Amino acid sequence: MEPTVYFVIPCYNEEAVLPETCRRFTEKLSAMEQAGLIGKTSRILFVDDGSKDKTWELISQFNRENPWVEGVKLAHNRGHQNALLCGLMSAMPRCDAAISMDADLQDDIDALDQFVQKFREGCDVVYGVRNKRDTDTWFKRTTAEGFYKVMKLLGVDVVFNHADYRLMSKRALEGLSEYREVNLFLRGIVPLIGYRSDY
């Protein structure tokens, strides 16, 4: 039986990109379902992090018109990590796995098939890792590399060149739910959960 996969997308003032994001995800999920990678109960879960624009109105409209789309609205802006955690915890009781990614489509949507394939092969966590930074400016590339080096020096087990593009199985999500961190840094918490992982 095909797994139920939730695609969790935190949104903050994403009115300009959301229609294209929804269109691209709908096409991708439909293709994945037809290929037998995911089940019919899979969903796109947009999490509105207290946006001040028409993000929630768009999510509500997508939900009425598109059977793939669900939404969660936070009462006010809590920040990306809290919105992401809220979406993951909302998805956890209803999914076999959840994939988190940003609304701006900078993550490679075509890699979703590989995430699900690795999950079906037994991985509980699959990290989306950038294989090159050719399009980054010198400043961005240097500060990003510096960030990972500083985190490693501080003893944080963080995956190099990984943001929040990852798959987590229901079991891994349940492990994440046991953490009671206030100042969230999911990139540092997820590797501590354990279980089989891949990139």
Side-chain angles (χ1 to χ4, degrees):
M1 189 165 134
E2 293 83 6
T4 296
V5 179
Y6 268 62
F7 298 81
V8 178
I9 305 172
C11 303
Y12 180 68
N13 293 340
E14 303 289 355
E15 174 185 354
V17 299
L18 219 48
E20 179 65 12
T21 300
C22 187
R23 183 188 70 77
R24 294 264 313 273
F25 268 96
T26 299
E27 288 175 358
K28 185 63 180 173
L29 268 64
S30 181
M32 291 174 76
E33 193 229 318
Q34 289 174 10
L37 281 173
I38 61 174
K40 293 181 186 299
T41 52
S42 297
R43 295 289 181 266
I44 305 162
L45 179 60
F46 290 111
V47 182
D48 180 13
D49 185 19
S51 296
K52 294 176 173 53
D53 65 0
K54 294 184 179 177
T55 294
W56 181 247
E57 287 86 344
L58 286 170
I59 293 170
S60 299
Q61 177 188 333
F62 300 154
N63 174 257
R64 289 189 301 270
E65 300 170 354
N66 186 333
W68 291 102
V69 175
E70 294 183 1
V72 172
K73 180 174 177 51
L74 301 184
H76 57 90
N77 181 254
R78 291 294 314 256
H80 179 269
Q81 296 289 280
N82 283 299
L84 178 53
L85 182 63
C86 173
L88 293 172
M89 294 301 101
S90 297
M92 182 177 64
R94 299 177 283 163
C95 72
D96 297 307
I99 299 176
S100 58
M101 53 193 308
D102 291 335
D104 59 12
L105 294 172
Q106 288 191 29
D107 298 316
D108 182 9
I109 197 168
D110 292 324
L112 292 172
D113 300 26
Q114 296 169 7
F115 277 80
V116 174
Q117 192 57 48
K118 287 185 179 292
F119 166 69
R120 293 178 74 153
E121 291 167 5
C123 289
D124 285 287
V125 180
V126 183
Y127 299 99
V129 178
R130 292 181 69 166
N131 56 11
K132 55 186 173 182
R133 289 186 168 270
D134 295 349
T135 59
D136 287 354
T137 64
W138 173 87
F139 179 77
K140 183 169 182 181
R141 188 168 46 251
T142 303
T143 55
E145 290 171 1
F147 168 80
Y148 290 106
K149 288 176 183 173
V150 168
M151 288 293 110
K152 192 160 187 73
L153 285 171
L154 293 173
V156 179
D157 185 14
V158 65
V159 177
F160 185 73
N161 270 347
H162 165 69
D164 285 304
Y165 187 25
R166 77 176 72 82
L167 175 145
M168 297 181 72
S169 69
K170 185 185 199 83
R171 180 167 76 154
L173 290 170
E174 289 168 347
L176 177 62
S177 73
E178 295 175 10
Y179 283 80
R180 296 289 176 240
E181 303 298 320
V182 176
N183 299 309
L184 285 176
F185 181 57
L186 294 175
R187 281 183 268 174
I189 296 172
V190 172
L192 298 175
I193 295 171
Y195 302 130
R196 182 177 165 190
S197 65
D198 207 337
Y199 303 90

